[in-house]
Amino acid sequence: MDEFYKEPLSKGAVKYYEKVRDLIQYCNYDQSYDGSEVIWLWGQQAELGEVLADNKVPDKYIDEVASHMSCNGCGCEDFDRYSTIGLIDLIDKEVQDKIEKANKKYKKHIEKLLEYINSYPSLALNNPVAKAIHKEISNSKVPECTIENVTVYRCRMPEGNKTFSFKEIHAPEVGISNAGRYNHFGQSVLYVSSYPETAVTEVSGESKGDIKIWMQKYTIKKIGKILDLTSDWEGFLKLSTIFTAIINNRILEQTSPGNTSTWKPEYLFTIFISDCAKSCGYNGIKYPAIKGVGENYVFFDPLNKEIVPAEPPPTHRFQIQS
Ligand SMILES: [Zn+2]
């Protein structure tokens, strides 16, 4: 008989098998090895027979069900009740459940809010989800951070042979700027990036190849009460349900094709968040960079004395990938 041949599942075992068939996330073959010794990296280690018993598979069916299981990681099908398997990590499971719950509860409502805010930007607070967001920010339910001794960067594209001063690279004064991700038309705020490369991509637009660019480096000595809208995977567990849905669905990172239009609906929601933050006493927002790595920051007061420029702004050459 073919060694891979398996007897079909008996009628009694089928319903138990259906419940547990996706349980094995990883197996021995997905791990790392030091010689013949397995170094367990992936999944919560467990013995298959025990996991099946925990999942209410009667003992008389465990051998049969185990032999029909396969691994989601590598597809292998070589299991018995004594096999060591990797279950989904508890934290991963918790995060996945949270995201699923958040999407179920808020995803559609957030889409409705985006439509509403598109038509009536200044009436956003009429929308129940917008109201809830404002309430969470005002009750300090959203993570915040202090930025201390952090180096950040800001760039400007060259204009011929003109030498830019610090003032010309720094935040435009009131009445100069276009609407930005976290500012209304003409408001003066300072945007900076945590990495020089990200600061370059923020201004380089369609430019490609070797470009000379003006770059101002700053040290942020200490600025507290910064709304933190970045989150790593485990960070979702610290977020409220609404902000889990917002950040997981990348609502803060919307873009629109072509940037010549003065109508920027992709910024209306983030500008609303920034109004909420500012009105609740926050000094700025930390948010995920869209075009590069790391984070960006917006500071609501560009003249804050804790923002210390390295003088004078030098030019740098950068290679912009297409
Ligand atoms: Zn496997």
Side-chain angles (χ1 to χ4, degrees):
M1 189 186 287
D2 188 321
E3 65 172 306
F4 294 114
Y5 176 78
K6 283 177 189 168
E7 287 286 339
L9 279 163
S10 65
K11 225 173 163 188
V14 169
K15 68 169 183 178
Y16 296 107
Y17 170 74
E18 289 300 330
K19 273 193 202 149
V20 297
R21 58 185 301 170
D22 288 327
L23 266 177
I24 304 178
Q25 296 294 320
Y26 304 101
C27 68
N28 273 323
Y29 298 114
D30 304 301
Q31 313 301 329
S32 182
Y33 282 84
D34 181 7
S36 61
E37 201 176 326
V38 57
I39 302 165
W40 201 271
L41 296 177
W42 302 100
Q44 187 114 335
Q45 223 172 336
E47 192 179 290
L48 181 54
E50 288 176 11
V51 173
L52 295 182
D54 288 347
N55 280 274
K56 304 203 165 47
V57 179
D59 195 65
K60 62 174 177 175
Y61 292 127
I62 283 186
D63 287 319
E64 198 184 343
V65 170
S67 73
H68 278 80
M69 302 279 288
S70 60
C71 168
N72 288 336
C74 69
C76 114
E77 296 180 337
D78 183 18
F79 294 101
D80 60 36
R81 68 158 67 210
Y82 303 110
S83 301
T84 305
I85 57 157
L87 294 170
I88 189 165
D89 276 313
L90 291 178
I91 289 195
D92 282 351
K93 176 92 176 69
E94 217 179 317
V95 175
Q96 276 174 12
D97 288 351
K98 179 152 190 197
I99 288 173
E100 207 174 301
K101 190 177 137 200
N103 283 340
K104 214 169 163 187
K105 193 163 177 195
Y106 285 113
K107 200 172 170 198
K108 278 212 181 94
H109 294 295
I110 291 171
E111 280 161 13
K112 275 197 190 141
L113 164 61
L114 296 181
E115 273 171 37
Y116 184 79
I117 214 168
N118 216 328
S119 305
Y120 312 105
S122 66
L123 295 180
L125 275 179
N126 280 346
N127 175 286
V129 172
K131 208 177 272 179
I133 289 170
H134 179 259
K135 199 171 166 195
E136 287 192 6
I137 293 176
S138 67
N139 291 338
S140 303
K141 293 276 163 61
V142 183
E144 63 177 68
C145 61
T146 294
I147 302 170
E148 191 167 4
N149 285 325
V150 172
T151 305
V152 293
Y153 305 85
R154 178 178 170 85
C155 288
R156 185 161 173 179
M157 291 297 279
E159 288 172 16
N161 290 325
K162 182 174 159 56
T163 299
F164 286 117
S165 64
F166 158 70
K167 219 179 150 192
E168 288 166 307
I169 298 183
H170 196 62
E173 286 173 11
V174 173
I176 309 285
S177 67
N178 287 322
R181 194 162 292 277
Y182 290 96
N183 72 281
H184 291 277
F185 218 94
Q187 272 181 337
S188 178
V189 298
L190 178 68
Y191 290 97
V192 290
S193 303
S194 59
Y195 286 95
E197 295 79 6
T198 307
V200 172
T201 58
E202 286 292 335
V203 296
S204 59
E206 301 294 302
S207 311
K208 290 186 185 81
D210 186 30
I211 59 164
K212 196 178 99 172
I213 205 156
W214 289 86
M215 181 179 288
Q216 179 68 57
K217 188 170 154 182
Y218 301 85
T219 301
I220 309 299
K221 285 204 298 193
K222 188 174 182 181
I223 301 182
K225 216 162 163 56
I226 300 290
L227 196 71
D228 187 352
L229 300 180
T230 62
S231 180
D232 57 15
W233 181 246
E234 290 179 20
F236 280 112
L237 296 178
K238 290 186 220 142
L239 291 173
S240 68
T241 316
I242 293 186
F243 275 88
T244 298
I246 291 170
I247 294 178
N248 177 251
N249 289 295
R250 308 182 78 156
I251 305 294
L252 306 169
E253 299 167 49
Q254 300 175 80
T255 53
S256 68
N259 53 8
T260 50
S261 171
T262 55
W263 174 234
K264 305 273 188 199
E266 71 274 21
Y267 292 162
L268 294 173
F269 179 71
T270 43
I271 291 174
F272 165 71
I273 298 264
S274 121
D275 282 346
C276 291
K278 218 192 293 182
S279 72
C280 295
Y282 285 87
N283 296 311
I285 299 175
K286 177 181 176 185
Y287 60 100
I290 294 148
K291 295 177 186 163
V293 291
E295 302 86 37
N296 287 341
Y297 299 94
V298 56
F299 295 110
F300 299 143
D301 176 13
L303 303 178
N304 189 322
K305 294 277 180 277
E306 300 291 304
I307 303 170
V308 183
E311 294 263 22
T315 52
H316 292 266
R317 297 203 84 85
F318 269 91
Q319 200 61 38
I320 311 265
Q321 309 294 334
S322 56

